[in-house]
Amino acid sequence: MAWIAISYIIATSIILDRDIIVNNIYLYSGMLPVTMVISSLLLNINGLYSIGRKRFAEIILSTFVANLCTLILVMALSFFFYESSYSRGVIALSAVLSTIMLILWRYFGWQLEQKLHSKRTVMLMGTAEECDHVYNRLRLQPQLNLKLKYICTEIETSDWRKAAEDIDVIILCPEMRHRYKVSVINYCHENGKTALLIPNTYEIFCTGAELDKIDDIPVLRPQSLYPSLEVRSLKRLLDIVLSGIGFICALPFMTVTAIAIKIFDPGPVLYSQIRTGRDGKEFRVYKFRTMKVDAEKYTGPMLAQENDPRITKLGKFLRTVRLDELPQIWNVVIGDMSLVGPRPERPFFVEQFTKEIPEYAYRHNVKPGITGMAQVYGKYNTTPFDKLVYDLMYIEKCGILMDLTIIIQTVKVLFTKSATEGAGIEQKPLNIEKYDIGKDIYGDF
């Protein structure tokens, strides 16, 4: 808060003469608390009050996005509520100065937290396939200071308690049986260990459960994962207002994009596809074409791949900056989609995923969205099950505030390369024997 105030005062002093400041002291002092409140909210939404487990590049990006959104909102408010004599240059320079100051301040804070938080040892518990998946994600996050020491794939026959004496964190994978999870979590509470639980769908249902009773017997009532009429009505009202404004603002970008597609890759500008919407009803979604004409003529339906040969050179750029998604605003206007919700999938893949994960069908309890929790917290290459977890968590908590938060956080995703990568990450084979709980050997990512 202090750095935001200081940057505003410095910007005012640089741009304005002393006489102008004195004569308009109420005008300029009145904008300062507005700027501070908006900036603080956006810094909080972008997770900048807890930075110890983040990469510094992510902190820089989040700070930039938070201040960019602050600049846009404060600039808009200044036009609507303040006199035309108000200098917008003060707002712009203040945003630049606060971005620089906050990044420098957070750099020192981040360095301090990195030194205070020593490396913690980890034990993975689950099937070999699950442990391999978690291992390959964990090794890409060095800022977490987590070092794999043990892997336990046979909890029933192994002496995992003895191995757990030497570690700090136990990560429990989704397919572990419930009674084993209870045993491990109880052990962690009793012995000061940290337990990290990767949820399955049963645990998601229980997170929002309400306490009830039968006579004097306490019972938990899991939420239905189906938004109420009030929530759906408010979401639709938000969609109409924001999509209408968004469609008008996006029109120049859509025009330029359409012309570019015609110039660089002759063929249809728009690409439409049948997707599955709320309650399993199919609808036609519209996107700017990023693939070659008849890209799946000989291959059939395929998920996007890394370095996908079907994507055109212009298409790669459009996907990176998400311009290919702009026509979907029309889908929101006509009510097929919402601004926020699970991403709509093709019926071919819906049928396939539902056979593998029956709970996948719950995604269709709400309208699909242009963006969602899975897009903000996950990546383009996040597994269908992990995306499903995010989608179900969103359905359980969806509402106006949640939607606005996700919309703001989506701005950061637009600047994140990993959010647009194709399926698959560089896999490093996991040598389970090396991390066997019977061996006192530290692993190395």
Side-chain angles (χ1 to χ4, degrees), residues 8-9 58 115 149 192 199 215 218 220 339 379 387:
Y8 185 86
I9 293 170
E58 182 183 353
K115 291 178 181 178
K149 182 175 182 180
D215 193 16
L220 291 178
L339 288 172
K379 301 177 182 178
K387 285 183 178 180

Side-chain angles (χ1 to χ4, degrees), residues 23-219:
N23 294 331
N24 297 276
I25 186 66
Y26 294 108
L27 177 62
Y28 286 96
S29 62
M31 183 59 85
L32 177 57
V34 174
T35 303
M36 292 176 67
V37 170
I38 292 175
S39 183
S40 298
L41 288 173
L42 289 170
L43 289 172
N44 184 48
I45 289 173
N46 283 279
L48 286 165
Y49 290 110
S50 178
I51 61 176
R53 303 301 179 189
K54 292 182 172 66
R55 291 177 176 171
F56 188 64
E58 182 183 353
I59 295 171
I60 293 176
L61 177 60
S62 297
T63 305
F64 170 76
V65 169
N67 279 278
L68 176 63
C69 292
T70 300
L71 172 63
I72 294 171
L73 290 174
V74 174
M75 194 78 77
L77 287 174
S78 71
F79 276 105
F80 281 107
F81 299 107
Y82 286 84
E83 300 174 16
S84 58
S85 59
Y86 186 88
S87 173
R88 274 77 195 182
V90 170
I91 303 173
L93 182 58
S94 173
V96 173
L97 293 175
S98 64
T99 300
I100 295 171
M101 290 179 180
L102 288 172
I103 287 175
L104 291 174
W105 175 250
R106 275 167 171 72
Y107 175 74
F108 292 114
W110 180 78
Q111 287 279 25
L112 179 61
E113 289 206 40
Q114 291 294 307
K115 291 178 181 178
L116 291 176
H117 291 104
S118 58
K119 192 172 288 289
R120 298 179 295 169
T121 53
V122 175
M123 178 162 66
L124 285 177
M125 304 185 78
T127 65
E129 184 180 359
E130 288 178 314
C131 290
D132 182 80
H133 173 61
V134 177
Y135 163 81
N136 274 289
R137 295 294 181 176
L138 194 61
R139 68 184 179 84
L140 298 178
Q141 303 294 322
Q143 79 282 358
L144 297 178
N145 283 332
L146 296 176
K147 188 178 184 69
L148 182 62
K149 182 175 182 180
Y150 293 129
I151 289 178
C152 177
T153 58
E154 300 291 340
I155 185 172
E156 190 170 4
T157 58
S158 64
D159 190 5
W160 61 268
R161 287 181 176 81
K162 182 172 178 58
E165 294 174 2
D166 298 330
I167 58 94
D168 305 302
V169 180
I170 299 179
I171 300 178
L172 308 177
C173 295
E175 291 186 16
M176 279 183 63
R177 296 182 66 176
H178 179 71
R179 63 190 180 97
Y180 294 144
K181 289 182 179 180
V182 172
S183 179
V184 174
I185 291 174
N186 284 338
Y187 172 86
C188 290
H189 283 308
E190 292 169 1
N191 294 274
K193 310 292 183 180
T194 299
L196 298 179
L197 180 68
I198 301 174
N200 56 30
T201 50
Y202 163 77
E203 284 145 1
I204 294 173
F205 291 144
C206 292
T207 54
E210 296 180 4
L211 180 64
D212 205 337
K213 66 187 183 73
I214 299 175
D215 193 16
D216 60 345
I217 301 173
V219 295

